Amino acid sequence: MSTRDLARLDAGPRRAHRLVNRVLTYLFLVLVAVFFVVPVLWLLTAPFNRAPSFTVSLSQPTLQNFPDLFKNPYSASSLLNSAIYSLGSVVLVGGCAGFAAYALSRVEVPGRNLILIVLLLLSSVVTGSAAIVPLYFIAFNLHLIDTVPGVILLMSGGLLPAAIFILKDFMDGVPGSYEESARVFGANPLQILRDVVAPVVRPGLAVIAVWIFVNAWGNFLIPFVILRNPALDPASVQIFSFQTSGGQAVLRTAAAFALLYTLPAVVLYLVVQRRYGFRFYGGIKA
Amino acid sequence: MAQVRIEDLTVQFSGGTRALDRLDLAIEDGEFFALLGPSGCGKTTLLRTIAGLVLPSAGRVVIGDRDVTRLPPGDRNVAMVFQDYALYPHMTVAENIAYPLKVRRVERSRRQEMALSVGASLGLGELMERRPAQLSGGQQQRVALARAIATRPDVFLLDEPLSNLDARLRLEARTFLKRLQGELGITTVYVTHDQAEALAMAHRMAVMDRGVVRQVGTPVEVFQYPANLFVAQFTGSTPMNLLPARVDKGALTVGGRRLPFPSGSYRLREGDRVTVGVRPEYMDLSTVERHDGLPGRVAVVESLGVTSLVTLEGEGISFQVVVPENRAPRAGERGWAVADPARTLLYDDRGELIRAF
């Protein structure tokens, strides 16, 4: 027996083994894909079905669900409210985090990294349901219950630390010589921030803005707890109200509303992705 | 146009390290002045202190007749070119050059005009609408220079502006920069760790080591008469031969050989220990025995193009000689290295130059 024959004998079982491996891998991937794709398909079909159920089907196509949806007086207002809360958070968090991250990146504060990490840890508590009772009391004592600023401030408080943390990393990536050369030319700190640093970290700012928007847009707990007046409810709370008095979900309007509720986040993501490509330069540095 | 005076300047960092230690220096109006030294010697700190980016712990910085020690960088009327050029990536070449003028509230049409004329004078006319990322290293360097020139500063501060260029371009840029400085006549302080750059470009230079100035002089002075062993070792493209010697009956004993004293007369006593310093370029290699030559065996021959650098092993010492291209020996041959007595230096036991009188 030559060595080549030996190799062939050996190759048979090995090839079969590899084939089985492949089949199993793809089977697993298909299952994962189905798990994620089916809800999306439902979201794309159910709004256009006269009698949607929990299956993906377009048995009775119609556009009537959308006019019916807007018979509810709060459907349109809730989407507008969501936009106000989200954009308000973007402006507030983006602005504060921008200044804070720049300062933390450039000024040597003792224990700077510890401050950042503690802030980050606290923020996950602050936005979470664990702190909702104290948050409610704070909002109550500050007369922020049932107000627009109340919702924006509470949501922003939770998002700010992580935004500072991520933005600081982008700020760290701006060479110190950029600012020093501007200083030698006589630029003041605000000019440097506006003319040099902000344009250079613009991709970072875009990433942060989308992240804040999507988080605020999807936040249910804080508006649900803080608001009484249904005219102030955002879409995330409004979607909760598409049910009969018996607690049965009204899928026709709920599905149509869900689609409209999803679109802004997707569009925003696509626009920013197109413009900046979500290049995360600079990893997380300790 | 202005003189720059550094008086008793000390810079101490928060960690306690002393980057500059009671430094005094006067840079003349219109002079091209190089600060030369190894990394960590304080040359960049000195430059940044002149710019105002570093505040000194003690001492004064005077530009012209203004004490600028406590002035912010923007009020000193200096321009700085950074090692990485610090061009703003989101601005075009024209916008980069015009930015300092924008900061100084020069009106838009005027600053565009100035940016265009300065850019054109540095050969950037075709590139004004490009972004820095679309330029070569040499072009980026010229943009950085143009941006500095456009502010019409009293003093130019250049921090290793050639170190990011490749070797060939660096030579061109060197000539370009020297000519430019000559035409503009602006006082220029130039930081470099490359002794060849400093020798080639500067009118005068300061060699620094660990926060102090070890020698100030013209390139010729520094090259021919290094004031101490530090400067001697740091300057010159091939390291200076430094050989331990002893004064013995009117001659010098080097490596078991008696050699004549260099030209000039010295105040030395019998038995004094000295270091003989002579650059390889100032030594000649003889293939026949010479009583004034150091004998050795050729260990390595390195071709430098027009010349060759020959390393010889003698009795317990090794030394190097530069020979013309047609006279390079082969490894293993014997040779006698003869020092030019007019170019041979003696250093005392503290490493300071012993001056002949």
Side-chain angles (χ1 to χ4, degrees):
Chain A
M1 230 188 236
S2 72
T3 48
R4 191 186 288 175
D5 292 334
L6 268 173
R8 199 177 295 157
L9 266 180
D10 192 37
R14 206 192 289 160
R15 206 179 292 161
H17 184 88
R18 213 181 289 158
L19 191 71
V20 170
N21 250 347
R22 263 200 165 159
V23 168
L24 287 178
T25 307
Y26 280 114
L27 206 63
F28 174 73
L29 289 178
V30 165
L31 281 175
V32 171
V34 165
F35 184 79
F36 283 102
V37 168
V38 167
V40 175
L41 286 178
W42 182 86
L43 185 65
L44 291 176
T45 55
F48 304 101
N49 199 334
R50 197 182 303 278
S53 62
F54 288 112
T55 56
V56 176
S57 111
L58 255 181
S59 48
Q60 296 160 281
T62 178
L63 285 174
Q64 190 54 41
N65 293 346
F66 291 94
D68 285 355
L69 169 66
F70 286 106
K71 280 181 192 150
N72 183 331
Y74 298 128
S75 294
S77 74
S78 70
L79 286 168
L80 184 68
N81 289 338
S82 273
I84 291 169
Y85 300 146
S86 304
L87 292 176
S89 300
V90 167
V91 171
L92 188 64
V93 178
C96 294
F99 283 111
Y102 180 54
L104 279 168
S105 169
R106 293 301 186 249
V107 181
E108 289 204 16
V109 186
R112 175 170 57 184
N113 287 320
L114 193 71
I115 295 173
L116 278 171
I117 287 166
V118 168
L119 268 179
L120 198 63
L121 283 176
L122 284 181
S123 76
S124 52
V125 177
V126 168
T127 36
S129 41
I132 199 72
V133 174
L135 279 179
Y136 181 85
F137 278 118
I138 292 172
F140 183 82
N141 286 322
L142 292 174
H143 304 290
L144 291 172
I145 298 294
D146 214 19
T147 61
V148 173
V151 175
I152 294 178
L153 279 174
L154 285 192
M155 292 201 295
S156 299
L159 296 172
L160 194 54
I164 293 172
F165 192 82
I166 299 170
L167 263 185
K168 176 183 171 283
D169 220 52
F170 279 97
M171 299 282 185
D172 287 346
V174 180
S177 62
Y178 286 11
E179 290 156 74
E180 288 180 340
S181 75
R183 273 176 69 200
V184 176
F185 297 139
N188 62 43
L190 272 180
Q191 283 175 314
I192 294 173
L193 191 60
R194 187 191 65 206
D195 298 340
V196 178
V197 178
V200 174
V201 300
R202 209 164 49 184
L205 288 171
V207 167
I208 285 294
V210 173
W211 179 79
I212 297 165
F213 186 91
V214 168
N215 265 283
W217 185 260
N219 194 314
F220 168 75
L221 192 63
I222 284 171
F224 183 69
V225 170
I226 296 299
L227 296 174
R228 295 278 160 279
N229 181 357
L232 291 180
D233 276 346
S236 54
V237 176
Q238 173 65 15
I239 199 168
F240 200 56
S241 67
F242 291 110
Q243 49 185 329
T244 63
S245 45
Q248 188 79 31
V250 183
L251 284 184
R252 248 166 37 83
T253 44
F257 191 74
L259 184 64
L260 293 181
Y261 177 50
T262 317
L263 282 180
V266 174
V267 168
L268 190 65
Y269 179 84
L270 289 177
V271 166
V272 173
Q273 156 86 355
R274 181 127 194 205
R275 240 185 113 192
Y276 299 106
F278 277 103
R279 288 162 296 163
F280 276 94
Y281 29 90
I284 305 293
K285 284 168 247 145
Chain B
M1 311 297 126
Q3 190 202 40
V4 179
R5 269 183 298 131
I6 310 295
E7 295 171 3
D8 204 22
L9 194 75
T10 298
V11 171
Q12 194 152 4
F13 289 129
S14 48
T17 38
R18 198 164 260 220
L20 296 177
D21 197 2
R22 308 202 60 172
L23 199 121
D24 288 290
L25 208 57
I27 297 160
E28 299 306 323
D29 185 12
E31 190 170 41
F32 196 131
F33 194 91
L35 295 173
L36 175 68
S39 55
C41 72
K43 57 191 190 297
T44 297
T45 304
L46 176 55
L47 194 78
R48 291 164 60 85
T49 311
I50 299 173
L53 296 170
V54 172
L55 281 183
S57 331
R60 299 203 310 156
V61 178
V62 182
I63 296 175
D65 42 21
R66 284 196 307 162
D67 181 345
V68 300
T69 317
R70 299 285 146 191
L71 284 185
D75 294 347
R76 298 184 175 203
N77 202 25
V78 299
M80 187 158 171
V81 174
F82 289 77
Q83 191 171 0
D84 62 2
Y85 312 136
L87 299 177
Y88 307 133
H90 56 285
M91 297 185 192
T92 63
V93 169
E95 285 164 349
N96 261 293
I97 299 174
Y99 183 67
L101 304 173
K102 186 180 167 195
V103 169
R104 290 170 194 203
R105 298 174 194 287
V106 177
E107 62 171 301
R108 180 183 292 270
S109 59
R110 176 96 187 92
R111 63 178 190 246
Q112 267 172 348
E113 195 181 300
M114 285 171 78
L116 284 174
S117 79
V118 174
S121 70
L122 292 187
L124 296 166
E126 309 286 303
L127 308 170
M128 296 306 273
E129 293 312 312
R130 298 242 192 119
R131 307 248 165 188
Q134 297 167 299
L135 303 179
S136 70
Q139 289 166 338
Q140 289 183 17
Q141 190 226 23
R142 274 184 285 153
V143 176
L145 284 171
R147 187 170 65 174
I149 292 168
T151 65
R152 300 172 192 271
D154 290 333
V155 182
F156 255 148
L157 305 171
L158 310 179
D159 186 6
E160 309 225 12
L162 305 185
S163 63
N164 282 354
L165 303 178
D166 54 47
R168 172 119 224 130
L169 204 53
R170 198 177 304 169
L171 285 184
E172 283 172 28
R174 201 164 84 178
T175 313
F176 172 80
L177 204 55
K178 184 161 185 174
R179 177 183 307 176
L180 184 71
Q181 198 273 341
E183 284 165 6
L184 296 171
I186 297 174
T187 312
T188 301
V189 186
Y190 184 98
V191 162
T192 180
H193 66 270
D194 182 344
Q195 55 86 29
E197 244 170 47
L199 292 175
M201 297 169 83
H203 297 134
R204 281 195 314 145
M205 59 198 278
V207 185
M208 292 179 66
D209 176 37
R210 281 176 285 176
V212 295
V213 169
R214 301 301 300 268
Q215 185 173 7
V216 180
T218 65
V220 171
E221 283 165 7
V222 172
F223 184 78
Q224 292 186 348
Y225 300 100
N228 46 60
L229 290 178
F230 175 80
V231 177
Q233 281 167 314
F234 199 76
T235 54
S237 45
T238 52
M240 185 187 271
N241 292 306
L242 296 169
L243 307 167
R246 211 154 48 84
V247 179
D248 180 22
K249 295 189 200 105
L252 291 166
T253 315
V254 183
R257 187 94 179 177
R258 282 174 59 82
L259 295 180
F261 257 94
S263 329
S265 43
Y266 294 85
R267 258 189 257 277
L268 282 169
R269 282 192 309 263
E270 193 72 7
D272 276 355
R273 295 198 172 275
V274 294
T275 302
V276 176
V278 53
R279 293 194 182 281
E281 293 87 348
Y282 294 143
M283 285 187 114
D284 195 17
L285 187 67
S286 164
T287 48
V288 294
E289 175 151 16
R290 291 268 302 256
H291 67 97
D292 56 350
L294 274 174
R297 194 168 290 281
V298 176
V300 184
V301 180
E302 296 164 64
S303 172
L304 306 177
V306 178
T307 55
S308 290
L309 179 64
V310 181
T311 306
L312 294 117
E313 303 280 357
E315 271 175 61
I317 51 172
S318 81
F319 41 92
Q320 295 182 307
V321 183
V322 170
V323 300
E325 54 187 338
N326 54 348
R327 283 180 40 208
R330 267 199 293 262
E333 286 178 3
R334 279 190 72 75
W336 285 262
V338 184
D340 177 351
R343 290 279 176 265
T344 304
L345 307 166
L346 295 180
Y347 293 90
D348 64 20
D349 50 5
R350 286 171 299 125
E352 297 297 319
L353 181 68
I354 305 170
R355 301 217 176 249
F357 62 91

